Amino acid sequence: SPTCASSSHHQTPAVTMAETADAQAVRLYVKGVVLGFKRGMRTQYCHTALIKIQGVEDSEDVDFYLGKKIAYIFKAHTEKKGSKYRVVWGKVCRAHGTNGVVKCKFRTNLPPKAIGGPVRVMLYPSRI
């Protein structure tokens, strides 16, 4: 009797790249969370946000993300340019400590309601 591995009816058909691209979307960013703003004991510096990037656990991993673009996407009440969604763009500047948190500067300061909210860390521009 034939084994399962050698029988032809158990083999999967060859799938091309185009078929897999149609079947499932590919996420071209890494998820992150806004922790708050850079601050001292008494003073908060709103022009620099602290972001925790998913999967980054130490300062050596941060090196890959330096210079990468970050998007904070939020939904507004009024529609502009055919969409209710707005984006504030920023970039990763440096590490914050040794635990995988990064300091980021945005074009406009993030609103306070962004704290605890999601951001998208884009995988461009590439430095490789």
Side-chain angles (χ1 to χ4, degrees):
S1 76
T3 62
C4 288
S6 65
S7 63
S8 62
H9 62 82
H10 282 277
Q11 292 177 351
T12 56
V15 180
T16 63
M17 277 300 250
E19 289 175 358
T20 39
D22 291 340
Q24 195 172 23
V26 179
R27 180 163 48 90
L28 296 175
Y29 60 87
V30 179
K31 295 177 181 180
V33 176
V34 180
L35 298 182
F37 299 107
K38 172 184 165 182
R39 54 174 299 146
M41 189 173 177
R42 296 169 187 85
T43 314
Q44 178 171 283
Y45 299 96
C46 299
H47 54 70
T48 305
L50 302 177
I51 308 289
K52 176 64 180 166
I53 302 173
Q54 188 178 42
V56 178
E57 300 304 327
D58 55 7
S59 51
E60 285 80 33
D61 295 343
V62 167
D63 187 54
F64 172 79
Y65 290 98
L66 295 180
K68 297 284 190 273
K69 298 282 185 193
I70 293 192
Y72 170 66
I73 301 172
F74 61 99
K75 192 173 182 182
H77 183 69
T78 56
E79 189 171 311
K80 296 208 176 184
K81 296 182 183 175
S83 176
K84 287 189 173 186
Y85 291 96
R86 315 268 168 87
V87 181
V88 179
W89 286 98
K91 67 179 177 180
V92 178
C93 296
R94 57 175 293 182
H96 176 74
T98 58
N99 219 5
V101 177
V102 295
K103 293 182 183 179
C104 304
K105 291 211 174 209
F106 288 82
R107 284 187 194 158
T108 61
N109 296 347
L110 291 181
K113 74 168 191 174
I115 295 174
V119 292
R120 295 180 179 186
V121 183
M122 303 301 175
L123 298 177
Y124 55 83
S126 176
R127 296 188 308 129
I128 298 174

